[in-house]
Amino acid sequence: MAEAHQAVAFQFTITPEGIDLQLSHEALRQVYLSGLRSWKKRFIRLKNSVITGVYPASPSSWLFVVIAILATMYTRSDPSMGLIAKIQEHLPVSQSLSAQCQTVVSAVLFSTLLWLSLIFTMRLCLKQLLSYHRWMFEQHGKMSNTTKVWVALVRIFSGRQPLLYSYQGSLPNLPVPAVKDTIKRYLESVRPLMTESEFERMSKLAIEFEGSLGNRLQWYLKLKALWSANYVSDWWEEYIYLRGRSPIMVNSNYYGMDFLYVTPTPIQAARAGNTIHAFLLYRRKLNREELKPWLLRSSVPCCSYQFERMFDSCRIPGERTDTVQHWQDSDYVAVYHRGRYFRLWVYKSGRMLTPREIELQIQKILEDPSPPLSGEDKLGALTAGDRVPWAKVRKQFFSTGVNKRSLDCIERAAFFVTLDDDEQGMMGDDPAASLDRYAKSLLHGKCYDRWFDKSFSAVVYKNGKNGLNAEHSWADAPVVAHLWEFVLATDSFQLGYDEEGHCKGNVDPKLPQPQRLSWDIPPECEEVVSQSLAVAQALADDVDFHVFSFRDFGKGKIKKCRISPDAFIQLALQLAYYRDRGLFCLTYEASMTRLFREGRTETVRSCTNESCAFVKALESGEEEDLCVRLLRLATDKHQNLYRMAMTGAGIDRHLFCLYVVSKYLGLESPFLKEVLSEPWRLSTSQTPVQQVELFDLVNHPEYISCGGGFGPVADDGYGVSYIIVGENMINFHISCKYSCAQTDSHRYGAQIRQALLDLLRLGEPGRTGNTQAKKDL
């Protein structure tokens, strides 16, 4: 009870002698320090807003301009060409100011206006420079003179020491492609997947759309592009993610894994302590904008807006559509363990708790013998089931009283932490099967021990392994991967553990106890929880997952073949799918459009005429020389498609937005309806390693991330995620559904292995057909 008394700043008692007021100095001190920390954060945000607002100039450059103008004036020359005198004429007349002072004030005002004009001009020039994308289509290592000049100008206009959001105002808007171009690229992409009659029918629908409704819809889309920062992103978030009424568990959320070969400590509380502390360190860097902007080729900035809702955010269910809410920095995290929910304070006296202090707090939760309250243990299943029942229950049973307070605590927390009683990782007599179980655990767990609506949930297992489950609507996987890389590296290489496996750091003995959340769950609500759990459990049980590391070779050997590693892997996936199913399918590969303001993703349609021609030639036993030439054509085509998608010349986001406009106007388009109903039976994504400098794979090759994965997009298809680690390893995460007799994740994984080996054999230098490719490259 001591902690409860300390939490009250003052108490008063009314007696016959009057009012007896008792102040708690410790509580007042905590209030003061908490307020001080809050004001410090506000000041940092204000300072960063000013720095970002004047970028690519700097606040100090204003003083330089003022001094330069004043110095010029004192040499009896007028750099303003009479403007300073005009400003002086319109200044309010004040007898307290001398004529000289009025001249100085006018000069300062002119200098400020000149400075702001220069900033606007520099930002406009940088925006125009960043709209140039021909550099991306040039052969690697062969830069044209135009691009060399462009790179020099970008560096000149980019300023120095940018903050995370410094480039936001200078990024170009995503261009709207011409309807004619998009339709042409679409028809080319579906040609290998259709018969002659099917393709002829689709071509007629496309031509009809282009000549009639397409131009009308395009006009509205161009109007939106002029008005908004990005003509795709807000609709993409709302209609693809937030309006979906099916479970987000498996269908939308994705996961990230721990190190493959190393568990830094076997102590669950210690791993949780370092992990939570590393997350908080990242949040502090994020709030201070100390994270470096992501630059392509060290010069071209990418959009950072997705980082804004990383922490203190939650998806809120609605009957028609969900919303994503973001709050100011929370000073606690929500923790789940054995059916109980806790509030764990991570700040005290205005400072962040040390890893050792967090470990001790986590240990208290692990040792807490109290049982779950009635209806509490499986409450998280509401976030795993269908969205409409969750929205109705939230409105009916969680809008007032103790349930609202506890739900607010979870939703407003910095992030969510699950202390899992299971042991996971690559272990035991069958390490391959254990990796598959590990993936399924991170993807869906027990269907009630994660809060799937939180922006992300950290999972720490009994044996010290950890992982992460992320909600998809607020950001894409590369943003979460950036966070996860930092956490893994900070945990192992900066924070570390003592010889016994415990966290390091001093401990304050007066830390408040973790707070149990209270609930009053009526039987009607428990019934909905049970129904949601049944839906989620059926979905989870149907997921067939296979994770494996391909160690025969990696990007090192692929690059020696003069082939893009991503194009190489995508072609291997096409070959493997053809061998697995005996046909080709519409294939989705996610690429990013973060070269543009508020850009997210675009689709690369990896199944092309060229890839199909190569696969057919190889499988029909054609001459090796022909297969090698077709291999080169297929990989070059894929690389070109990827570049076009990154530079705003994709297919699917444009057609999606045209479809949304048609729905707003109440118009039906058979062409758009058919395009958007086509299933993606092979959905793929690469997880990029973005912070290579954080890991030393030469001296510590065992500290290798296993990457992450996602569930299958189509009921009869595969979901494939892969991460290229170092020079000699590629990790694959393959998902499908047991309910489909035609798919098998392990069988497809074996086909991918063999396809990679077959492609390397054809692509190796010295093979027939590769001589000319060498000359070209």
Side-chain angles (χ1 to χ4, degrees), residues 709-764:
F710 53 89
V713 174
D715 291 338
D716 58 347
Y718 291 107
V720 182
S721 175
Y722 53 94
I723 179 172
I724 301 172
V725 185
E727 297 293 312
N728 302 301
M729 179 183 288
I730 308 170
N731 292 328
F732 288 90
H733 301 248
I734 306 169
S735 63
C736 61
K737 293 191 174 183
Y738 287 116
S739 56
C740 177
Q742 288 77 39
T743 57
D744 183 300
S745 64
H746 291 77
R747 185 184 70 213
Y748 188 48
Q751 296 285 15
I752 292 174
R753 288 177 184 272
Q754 188 58 50
L756 289 168
L757 294 171
D758 291 345
L759 288 188
L760 182 69
R761 178 180 56 82
L762 286 173
E764 282 179 333

Side-chain angles (χ1 to χ4, degrees), residues 115-132:
W115 179 66
L116 292 174
S117 300
L118 289 173
I119 291 172
F120 177 78
T121 303
M122 290 178 68
R123 187 172 288 185
L124 188 62
C125 290
L126 183 58
K127 191 169 187 176
Q128 292 301 315
L129 286 169
L130 295 177
S131 299
Y132 171 84

Side-chain angles (χ1 to χ4, degrees), residues 212 266 366 473 493 721 771 776:
S212 56
L366 294 173
S473 64
F493 301 125
S721 175
T771 306
D776 294 340

Side-chain angles (χ1 to χ4, degrees), residues 403-470:
N403 288 345
K404 183 182 187 306
R405 290 194 295 272
S406 295
L407 182 61
D408 283 348
C409 179
I410 294 174
E411 292 178 341
R412 294 169 183 261
F415 52 91
F416 192 82
V417 179
T418 294
L419 302 175
D420 203 308
D421 278 342
D422 293 338
E423 295 186 357
Q424 297 291 351
M426 191 168 65
M427 58 188 185
D429 298 331
D430 191 353
S434 66
L435 270 182
D436 299 345
R437 291 191 297 270
Y438 183 21
K440 282 179 64 67
S441 176
L442 287 173
L443 185 65
H444 54 67
K446 299 181 180 68
C447 303
Y448 57 80
D449 55 349
R450 319 276 189 262
W451 201 266
F452 294 101
D453 286 352
K454 282 298 288 181
S455 53
F456 68 89
S457 299
V459 184
V460 185
Y461 294 98
K462 189 176 181 179
N463 61 340
K465 274 291 178 189
N466 67 4
L468 174 140
N469 182 286

